[in-house]
Amino acid sequence: MNIKRSNAYSQVTLSIIIALFIALIILPSFASNDVMERLTVLFIYIIMAAMWNTLAGFGGLVSIGQQLFLGLGAYTTIRITDMGISPFIAIVLAACLVGLLSWPISTFMLRLKAGEFAIGMWVLASIGHLLVNLDPLIQGETGISLIALNQYSIESRRLFIYLAALLSMSALLLGLFYVLRSRAGIAMQAIRDNEEAADSIGVDPERVKKWFFIFAAFGTALAGALWLAQASSFQPKTYFSVQWTAYMIFMVLVGGLGRFEGAILGALLFFAVETWFATAGVWYLVGLGAVAMLCSLFLPKGIWGAIESKLGITLVPVGYQVTGLTTDTLKNK
C-alpha cells in the first residue's frame, strides 16, 4: 500500500501552470488593452470563486453575505488612499485590515449553524452597507471615484492593475493549495464532513473554522479592492449587492463544490458566458439561473466533480491518494 500526494496528471499540470504564469506575465508586451482588461476581470472572478469555495466547499460554511468583505475591501481602499497613500499599496493594506476585522466578526458569526450562518452573513452585509453610506466621504449612494489613480498614465495604470490581479490570484491559490494540504486543511474538511467526529479526535472546530473564515475574508476583500481599481468608481449599493455572492455561488456550484479545480473552472465558464451573452440583458441572468438549476439537478458535484468521478482525474490533488490497496492487504491488516 502506497500513499501519494501527487500523480502523473498533477505533475503535468504543474508544468502547464508554470508556463501559463510566465506567459501571462509577458502578455502585456503584445496584448491589446481590451484583452488585458478582460483578463483582469477573469483573475478577480477566480479569486472570488476560490474564496467562497474555501468557506462552503472545504469548510461547509455556506455564506450569502460575502459581499460584506468585497464591499469593505473597496471602501477601505478609498479611505486609505484619501490619506495620501498610493492606491496599489492601499489595495494590500485594505485587504489586511478587512482580514483583521473579520477576526472579531468570526467570533460571534461562527456560533451560528447552517442556515443561521448564511442568513446572518447576509444581514451583516446589509448593516455594513448602511454604515458605509453614513461616511460623508462616500456621499451616500452617489459614491466616489478612486481619484488617486489619476497620478498614473492610463497605460501604466492598466498594467499595474493587471499585474496586481495576476499576482494576487496566484498567491491566494498557492496559499490555499498549501493550507488544504496542511493539517489545518485536513481538519477543516473533517469538520465539514462531521464536526462532532472531528471534535472527538482532538480537532478544535472553532479555531480551525476561524482561520478559514479570515483567509476567505482577506481574499474576498482583495478582490473587492482590485475591482475598485479596475472600475475606478465606488458606489455602496453596487459593491455590497448580494449579486456578487450569487455569482460566487454560481461559479462554485457549476464548476464543482469542494474541488480546487472546480472553482477555477466555474470562474472560466462564468467569464465566458458573461463575455458572450452579457448584451442579452435580462435573458443573460435567466440563462445563468437555468444553468445553475440544471447543474444542481443533473450534475450535483459540478462539471469537474462529474469528470473526476467518471475518469478519476485529479489535476490539483489536495488530499491523499492510496494505491496498491487490495483485499489481501485488508485481510492482513
Side-chain angles (χ1 to χ4, degrees), residues 236-250:
K237 64 181 178 182
T238 299
Y239 285 82
F240 285 92
S241 170
V242 72
Q243 176 177 299
W244 291 106
T245 298
Y247 288 164
M248 297 179 209
I249 294 173
F250 173 87

Side-chain angles (χ1 to χ4, degrees), residues 214-267:
I214 293 170
F215 180 79
F218 168 82
T220 307
L222 188 56
L226 289 168
W227 190 272
L228 170 67
Q230 65 91 31
S232 75
S233 62
F234 176 77
Q235 289 180 302
K237 64 181 178 182
T238 299
Y239 285 82
F240 285 92
S241 170
V242 72
Q243 176 177 299
W244 291 106
T245 298
Y247 288 164
M248 297 179 209
I249 294 173
F250 173 87
M251 290 185 279
V252 174
L253 289 183
V254 170
L257 181 67
R259 287 163 175 81
F260 193 95
E261 305 93 332
I264 299 173
L265 176 60

